[in-house]
Amino acid sequence: MIYTDTRDSSVKTDFRTAVMNGMNSATGGLYIPVSFPKLDSSFINKNPEPSFRDIAFNMAKPYVENEIPDEDLMAIICDAYPFSPKVVPVDSTSYVLELFHGPTCAFKDFGARFMARVMSYFNRTEKGTLHILVATSGDTGSAVGSAFHNVPGLDVTILYPEGKISKIQEKQLSTFTGNVRALKVKGTFDDCQKLVKTAFTDADLRKQFRLSSANSINISRLLPQSFYYMYSSLVVKNRAPLDSKLENPAILAVVPSGNFGNLTSGLIAKEMGAPIEGFVAATNSNNTIPDWIATGDYNARPSVETYANAMDVGAPSNYERIKTMYSLEQVRSMFASYWLDNEGIKEAITDCNTKTGYTIDPHGAIGWKAWDDIRSGAMESLVNGKKNDYKKPGLTPSVPAWADKIVSKNAVGIILETAHPAKFGSIVAEATGREPVIPESLAEVMNLPDQAIPMENNYAKFKEWLKSNLAE
Ligand SMILES: *Cc1c(COP(=O)(O)O)cnc(C)c1O
């Protein structure tokens, strides 16, 4: 596969370079494959559907062709995924796609574990340590730290906004030892991301260290996230006629979004033939993308804090990829978008629990509410000309190409549940009246000592720290 760059389409490079560089420091652009090959229809139409690992292997293959042999790719996939995504029906037309069965209980395990193994594979023939710098709004850091922990030749420095993530998230981040460490930055997620981005474009620093990113800007995190869209849409395609009594319902993927890496992966799966009719981009008050879809103007802004804090992103990096792949009109035909403020998030957790019995986390809750609102009247009102003010929470006033499938009640939704509810236990308990059960992997981490290193929101200080603390 040839990879190009979102800012300069004359760039042509291979998978190895795209993965190891993270982003193109010469242009500041993001790597993107030049094509998204379709899977064979005989593979897609299997009933029962192929296994998650088979899907993962077949989807990854074209992107690593000639660089990773089949046996090695299969070994990477088996080692990355000792767990699977789970499709859980919650009513006759809604499925929750549980993406939290990995070691850190969030969907980022899918991307991070694949990336770590691919980087380690390519790094075997390089000299010296490869330094990963990663900014996190919560779940990225722990997924990346866990995925790279004790991987030889690799070293990870995580930056997170102090006091702006949940207690469990902070524990997960601050208790790593050995080749993984966390810096708690006095600032926001966007500040952390800026420090990391500045480091990547710092020629002086790059002379001393081999640096790479692990944020969702890295293509090796984005590609594997497309696997579970394919998997879940095939599962749902096969079972929805039985559950819903609809013959051939449209399948919509509802995606709680922050940096829009997850949604971009969904677009890749659709390109590759996943039977997904369209997407609902669901955000919290950091509604930069819903505003763009409503008005056509893209205005990045400082992030604001919410209960769904892994989505507190005011300047989503993957906007640049989406814009390179599609026109605004194409985006509007594929996407509905929807956002909730904090009060709405809490009500959504309660609402999901009351209507379905399912305990959902604050991120997934936005997806649940978006889907439930859209199917029970919001889309029909919009189609009939009753436009919601885009500055108020709810469905953004832009009608996707698939709106008629909703109005005629011929659609089912897959809601991506991106984190385990216990990671956000206090708000979930307030909303449902019950503490969610804490999975064992989370309980263990609560007893480990906190090792995070304090860091000011200042690039010169950050650079100085890197220079005097990292091994070359
Ligand atoms: C990272 C994260 C998101 C947002 O995913 P993006 O790819 O940044 O859009 C949503 N929910 C949870 C729990 C996350 O950790």
Side-chain angles (χ1 to χ4, degrees):
M1 175 64 72
I2 297 166
Y3 291 78
T4 185
D5 172 327
T6 49
R7 297 197 183 167
D8 180 357
S9 61
S10 72
V11 169
K12 302 267 177 284
T13 192
D14 56 7
F15 183 57
R16 182 191 185 109
T17 310
V19 171
M20 295 314 250
N21 290 354
M23 67 189 284
N24 188 349
S25 57
T27 62
L30 308 181
Y31 293 109
I32 191 163
V34 292
S35 68
F36 300 97
K38 279 209 167 20
L39 292 186
D40 261 9
S41 58
S42 60
F43 185 77
I44 285 180
N45 290 326
K46 277 188 179 158
N47 190 355
E49 62 289 335
S51 72
F52 177 68
R53 283 183 184 176
D54 273 352
I55 288 171
F57 175 79
N58 281 278
M59 288 183 84
K61 193 172 149 73
Y63 299 105
V64 308
E65 201 101 73
N66 304 324
E67 297 183 67
I68 304 180
D70 283 1
E71 319 79 87
D72 293 344
L73 178 61
M74 199 43 156
I76 287 171
I77 283 169
C78 290
D79 194 45
Y81 305 122
F83 55 91
S84 290
K86 286 205 176 98
V87 176
V88 178
V90 294
D91 63 35
S92 64
T93 59
S94 315
Y95 300 87
V96 170
L97 174 58
E98 293 184 348
L99 298 172
F100 54 67
H101 297 287
T104 71
C105 303
F107 87 94
K108 293 188 173 78
D109 286 329
F110 284 94
R113 291 178 64 84
F114 183 80
M115 176 177 63
R117 280 147 190 82
V118 167
M119 281 188 167
S120 152
Y121 184 84
F122 286 139
N123 199 55
R124 293 183 311 184
T125 53
E126 301 275 349
K127 266 219 281 292
T129 306
L130 180 67
H131 293 279
I132 312 290
L133 300 181
V134 53
T136 181
S137 53
D139 288 339
T140 297
S142 49
V144 167
S146 155
F148 283 86
H149 197 221
N150 293 335
V151 175
L154 302 179
D155 182 272
V156 181
T157 303
I158 301 164
L159 284 75
Y160 71 87
E162 185 175 11
K164 296 197 167 57
I165 62 177
S166 80
K167 214 167 141 192
I168 289 188
Q169 283 178 318
E170 181 151 26
K171 264 292 180 191
Q172 282 187 304
L173 283 177
S174 61
T175 53
F176 288 115
T177 54
N179 67 330
V180 181
R181 70 206 61 83
L183 305 182
K184 44 181 172 185
V185 176
K186 291 184 177 52
T188 62
F189 167 66
D190 289 339
D191 295 329
C192 296
Q193 204 166 24
K194 208 158 157 207
L195 289 173
V196 168
K197 279 193 176 170
T198 311
F200 283 128
T201 51
D202 185 333
D204 173 52
L205 200 64
R206 293 199 83 123
K207 239 188 285 163
Q208 190 178 348
F209 299 114
R210 287 171 58 223
L211 296 181
S212 192
S213 75
N215 284 60
S216 54
I217 57 176
N218 196 302
I219 193 70
S220 68
R221 266 192 57 194
L222 223 51
L223 293 172
Q225 291 175 174
S226 66
F227 307 160
Y228 52 69
Y229 283 90
M230 181 68 75
Y231 172 74
S232 59
S233 61
L234 297 184
V235 170
V236 168
K237 182 166 79 84
N238 288 338
R239 69 171 291 170
L242 304 168
D243 293 330
S244 66
K245 311 282 187 285
L246 300 167
E247 210 171 290
N248 185 22
I251 298 172
L252 300 167
V254 187
V255 191
S257 294
N259 229 349
F260 280 77
N262 200 3
L263 212 147
T264 305
S265 302
L267 293 167
I268 294 172
K270 182 167 164 59
E271 291 288 337
M272 295 183 76
I276 296 172
E277 189 90 12
F279 298 89
V280 179
T283 76
N284 57 28
S285 303
N286 296 281
N287 55 354
T288 307
I289 295 281
D291 279 6
W292 169 56
I293 290 173
T295 65
D297 295 325
Y298 178 80
N299 289 308
R301 59 198 76 160
S303 58
V304 297
E305 284 175 50
T306 76
Y307 294 136
N309 65 25
M311 294 164 27
D312 292 353
V313 183
S317 319
N318 284 289
Y319 165 73
E320 188 161 329
R321 280 204 178 93
I322 295 173
K323 273 289 285 178
T324 305
M325 289 167 69
Y326 305 102
S327 68
L328 177 61
E329 288 323 301
Q330 286 174 313
V331 169
R332 282 179 169 159
S333 84
M334 284 187 288
F335 287 28
S337 61
Y338 188 102
W339 70 278
L340 285 181
D341 59 16
N342 253 359
E343 201 182 329
I345 294 173
K346 196 169 160 187
E347 279 170 17
I349 300 171
T350 310
D351 187 61
C352 179
N353 192 242
T354 312
K355 286 190 177 149
T356 71
Y358 190 85
T359 306
I360 203 155
D361 97 293
H363 304 82
I366 303 176
W368 153 259
K369 187 68 186 172
W371 166 244
D372 197 42
D373 239 20
I374 285 174
R375 69 173 169 175
S376 50
M379 185 62 82
E380 190 165 2
S381 297
L382 178 57
V383 168
N384 293 332
K386 261 183 67 191
K387 286 191 176 180
N388 186 23
D389 177 355
Y390 75 93
K391 294 197 176 104
K392 297 213 181 97
L395 181 62
T396 298
S398 165
V399 180
W402 42 265
D404 58 314
K405 303 274 174 61
I406 295 288
V407 175
S408 62
K409 303 223 177 292
N410 193 23
V412 298
I414 300 175
I415 297 143
L416 278 69
E417 170 60 324
T418 49
H420 193 286
K423 290 187 92 167
F424 306 90
S426 57
I427 179 67
V428 172
E430 273 179 47
T432 64
R434 256 171 302 120
E435 284 285 343
V437 177
I438 299 186
E440 208 172 308
S441 59
L442 289 183
E444 276 169 14
V445 98
M446 295 310 283
N447 297 321
L448 298 174
D450 184 336
Q451 321 248 15
I453 300 154
M455 177 60 56
E456 279 171 57
N457 175 23
N458 174 310
Y459 183 68
K461 293 247 163 73
F462 174 54
K463 181 174 174 177
E464 188 186 299
W465 188 90
L466 293 176
K467 280 178 146 308
S468 47
N469 288 278
L470 297 189
E472 280 181 37

